[in-house]
């Protein structure tokens, strides 16, 4: 005889399992649709910015020749935090002493921050070589770049602070092109253009170079459209009085640059992007160095984001753009989650034409971004070589790597991992400066 009670229990168990699977499929579909909506909205939002940046990128180059007879020449305090920069410090000082700006209007403050590679002796050499121009502050123990900047700012006498990393190579026209913007009293800071000098080292540095070009083009578009301009930590010029008014450098921030830019915006000040003010710097040529650098960046971005949502209380397009920029690491991670999840969902939920449609439509942002990257390579990367077009598809592998770093940054925040300001090692590469 059939055990009817057991049969009923089995039937209800199977039925419950089927309902559970249906709920799971519905949840998966919802997540896929949500991620697709976010990616499409993100792409649509940035499309006009990218087009504006691309159309205006060549117009900016003409301004490089317009640097003569600028009446406004404020005193500038150049601040250089140095930690284990012995390999690159000479290169920086050579370029700094060659800038087209009156030396009587400059002071150079080098904060030697607990180096163990002989950097202090090199700093003292330049202090002796340029007495009255170069000042050295020695600190036995490093407490991070923001604290070093704060220490130097307290001793600076210039109206404008110019901050450069120790691996910088400064373009001779950078000062004049950046400082002309301070004639406008609303301008609190000017961000210059930074590009890697060692991009020919390997595939990783080439990909970083392409990322830098793309970011620069986006900043040109943001500048043209009146959107939020971040500070990026190097080749940045800041009006000292305004910096002090907003509370100075935040020693607890892992990304003191963009955190300061948010506070300046909150107080109604303007940050300008000047593409003509160029500065070369070293990109991490080793994967482990890149991972450490980006882990700090992304954690700093996310922590700043959490503290910045109040900007939306008084909505403006610039405030919204600031939040969007701070969200960029999270969106990068979500985009990498979307594609494998959409493929898996389309395979296992085969009776859902909606998922198949979304998967097909999702190819559009991929194709458009691939074409955009190829255009950037052809127009902006020099020397132009056909093989460099291979960088465009490789950027997706690079984004996948960065997404993994974002995930680690999120986990570090959730588990309360120790917060450390780790300096990226400088290798001292010597390459032709032609671009």
């Amino acid at each position: 005889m059939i055990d009817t009670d057991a049969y009923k229990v089995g039937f209800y168990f199977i039925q419950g399992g089927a309902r559970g699977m249906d709920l799971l499929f519905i949840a998966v579909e919802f997540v896929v649709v949500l991620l697709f909506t976010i990616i499409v909205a993100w792409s649509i939002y940035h499309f006009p910015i990218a087009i504006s940046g691309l159309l205006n990128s060549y117009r900016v180059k003409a301004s490089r020749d317009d640097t003569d007879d600028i009446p406004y020449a404020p005193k500038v305090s150049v601040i250089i935090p140095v930690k284990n920069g012995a390999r690159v410090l000479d290169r920086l000082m050579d370029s700094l002493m060659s800038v087209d700006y009156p030396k009587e209007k400059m002071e150079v403050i080098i904060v030697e921050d607990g180096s163990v590679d002989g950097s202090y002796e090199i700093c003292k050499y330049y202090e002796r070589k340029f007495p009255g121009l170069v000042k050295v502050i020695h600190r036995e123990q490093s407490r991070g770049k923001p604290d070093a900047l704060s220490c130097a700012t307290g001793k600076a006498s210039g109206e404008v602070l110019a901050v450069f990393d120790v691996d910088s190579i400064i373009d001779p026209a950078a000062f004049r092109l950046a400082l002309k913007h301070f004639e406008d009293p609303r301008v609190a800071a000017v961000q210059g253009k930074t590009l890697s000098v060692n991009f020919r080292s390997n595939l990783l540095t080439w990909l970083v170079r392409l990322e830098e070009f793309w970011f620069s083009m986006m900043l040109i578009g943001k500048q043209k459209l009146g959107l939020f301009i971040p500070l990026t930590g190097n080749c940045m010029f800041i009006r000292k009085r305004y910096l002090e008014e907003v509370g100075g450098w935040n020693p607890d921030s892992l990304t003191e640059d963009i955190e300061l830019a948010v506070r300046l915006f909150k107080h109604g000040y303007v940050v300008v992007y000047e593409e003509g003010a160029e500065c070369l710097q070293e990109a991490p040529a080793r994967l482990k160095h890149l991972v450490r650098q980006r882990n700090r960046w992304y954690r700093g971005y996310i922590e700043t984001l959490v503290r910045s949502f109040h900007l939306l209380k008084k909505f403006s397009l610039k405030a919204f753009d600031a939040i969007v920029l701070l969200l960029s690491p999270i969106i990068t991670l979500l985009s990498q989650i979307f594609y494998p999840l959409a493929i898996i969902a389309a395979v296992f939920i085969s009776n859902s034409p909606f998922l198949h449609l979304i998967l097909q439509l999702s190819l559009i942002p991929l194709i458009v971004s691939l074409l955009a990257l190829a255009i950037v390579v052809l127009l902006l990367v020099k020397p132009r070589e056909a093989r460099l077009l291979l960088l465009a598809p490789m950027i997706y592998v690079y984004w996948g790597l960065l997404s993994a770093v974002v995930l680690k940054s999120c986990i570090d925040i959730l588990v309360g991992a120790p917060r450390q300001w780790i300096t990226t090692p400088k290798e001292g590469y010597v390459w032709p400066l032609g671009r």
Side-chain angles (χ1 to χ4, degrees):
M1 292 181 63
I2 299 176
D3 188 342
T4 55
D5 290 336
Y7 176 80
K8 289 178 181 179
V9 170
F11 174 77
Y12 286 124
F13 180 79
I14 294 172
Q15 189 178 44
R19 288 176 180 174
M21 289 300 295
D22 288 340
L23 290 175
L24 177 61
F25 290 157
I26 292 173
V28 170
E29 281 190 286
F30 174 77
V31 172
V32 170
V33 171
L34 178 62
L35 293 178
F36 177 72
T37 303
I38 292 173
I39 293 170
V40 170
W42 183 267
S43 302
I44 292 174
Y45 178 80
H46 285 92
F47 182 75
I49 301 175
I51 293 298
S52 177
L54 187 61
L55 293 177
N56 289 279
S57 61
Y58 287 100
R59 299 177 187 176
V60 183
K61 291 179 172 53
S63 67
R64 290 181 56 82
D65 300 324
D66 186 23
T67 60
D68 297 329
D69 302 324
I70 297 177
Y72 185 68
K75 183 174 181 180
V76 179
S77 295
V78 182
I79 298 178
I80 305 169
V82 175
K83 183 177 181 181
N84 298 330
R87 293 182 177 183
V88 293
L89 187 53
D90 289 332
R91 189 178 65 187
L92 164 65
M93 294 303 296
D94 287 345
S95 69
L96 179 58
M97 292 304 146
S98 300
V99 297
D100 182 19
Y101 200 74
K103 297 301 180 289
E104 62 272 15
K105 291 279 189 176
M106 292 172 54
E107 67 173 354
V108 180
I109 303 176
I110 303 176
V111 185
E112 196 288 300
D113 204 34
S115 300
V116 293
D117 66 344
S119 292
Y120 178 60
E121 289 72 19
I122 301 175
C123 294
K124 293 299 290 183
Y125 164 77
Y126 283 105
E127 186 178 46
R128 293 190 299 270
K129 184 176 181 179
F130 301 103
L133 175 61
V134 176
K135 305 173 186 177
V136 176
I137 301 173
H138 176 61
R139 308 202 314 171
E140 291 290 342
Q141 185 176 3
S142 173
R143 291 184 289 275
K145 181 180 176 181
D147 193 72
L149 292 174
S150 183
C151 177
T153 299
K155 300 180 182 300
S157 60
E159 178 183 343
V160 175
L161 309 177
V163 179
F164 292 95
D165 287 339
V166 69
D167 59 322
S168 302
I169 303 175
I170 308 167
D171 186 275
F175 275 54
R176 286 188 174 272
L177 287 168
L179 293 171
K180 68 180 182 181
H181 293 283
F182 288 98
E183 291 186 83
D184 184 344
R186 299 173 303 165
V187 173
V190 176
Q191 176 59 55
K193 178 180 180 179
T194 55
L195 291 174
S196 54
V197 65
N198 59 325
F199 61 95
R200 295 184 180 92
S201 297
N202 54 41
L203 176 61
L204 183 62
T205 54
W206 267 111
L207 292 171
V208 172
R209 175 79 161 192
L210 182 57
E211 182 186 27
E212 290 170 336
F213 272 121
W214 180 263
F215 186 62
S216 175
M217 188 178 70
M218 295 299 290
L219 288 184
I220 295 171
K222 287 174 179 283
Q223 176 72 26
K224 190 68 177 179
L225 298 174
L227 299 177
F228 177 77
I229 301 295
L231 295 171
T232 64
N234 190 18
C235 195
M236 54 186 187
F237 301 77
I238 305 162
R239 203 186 298 264
K240 182 185 177 184
R241 178 164 61 89
Y242 292 173
L243 171 64
E244 293 172 337
E245 285 180 9
V246 302
W249 304 99
N250 182 357
D252 295 324
S253 176
L254 292 173
T255 46
E256 78 293 334
D257 38 27
I258 195 166
E259 192 274 340
L260 174 60
V262 169
R263 279 188 287 132
L264 289 171
F265 166 69
K266 180 182 175 182
H267 285 76
Y269 295 126
V270 175
V271 177
V272 174
Y273 179 62
E274 173 53 66
E275 190 200 20
E278 294 187 3
C279 173
L280 298 176
Q281 61 187 11
E282 280 193 14
R286 302 184 186 184
L287 185 59
K288 65 177 181 179
H289 294 162
L290 179 75
V291 169
R292 289 174 185 170
Q293 180 196 67
R294 298 308 173 92
N295 184 44
R296 174 177 62 81
W297 285 10
Y298 298 149
R299 183 169 179 176
Y301 262 56
I302 296 169
E303 290 176 346
T304 303
L305 170 68
V306 172
R307 294 191 293 265
S308 301
F309 278 113
H310 65 277
L311 295 176
L312 296 177
K313 290 181 179 179
K314 187 177 180 181
F315 182 83
S316 70
L317 187 56
K318 186 175 287 190
F320 179 75
D321 188 60
I323 298 299
V324 168
L325 179 61
L326 292 170
L327 273 168
S328 56
I330 301 296
I331 302 299
T332 300
L333 175 60
L334 293 180
S335 67
Q336 295 300 315
I337 294 174
F338 165 76
Y339 287 102
L341 182 62
I343 293 172
I344 292 172
V347 170
F348 286 97
I349 313 177
S350 56
N351 61 342
S352 175
F354 187 54
L355 278 179
H356 288 277
L357 177 62
I358 286 180
L359 191 58
Q360 292 170 13
L361 291 176
S362 66
L363 295 176
I364 297 176
L366 274 177
I367 295 172
V368 170
S369 61
L370 181 63
L371 291 175
L373 288 167
I375 291 172
V376 169
V377 170
L378 287 175
L379 295 182
L380 300 181
V381 178
K382 297 179 182 178
R384 296 189 178 97
E385 301 176 25
R387 63 185 178 88
L388 294 181
L389 288 175
L390 295 175
L391 291 174
M394 283 300 299
I395 201 73
Y396 295 114
V397 179
Y398 180 65
W399 283 343
L401 168 66
L402 297 185
S403 298
V405 180
V406 174
L407 181 60
K408 182 181 184 305
S409 300
C410 293
I411 294 173
D412 287 346
I413 293 173
L414 291 175
V415 302
R419 303 168 73 259
Q420 292 181 303
W421 214 107
I422 301 175
T423 302
T424 304
K426 311 302 178 186
E427 303 289 347
Y429 290 98
V430 180
W431 290 100
L433 301 186
R435 286 156 246 171

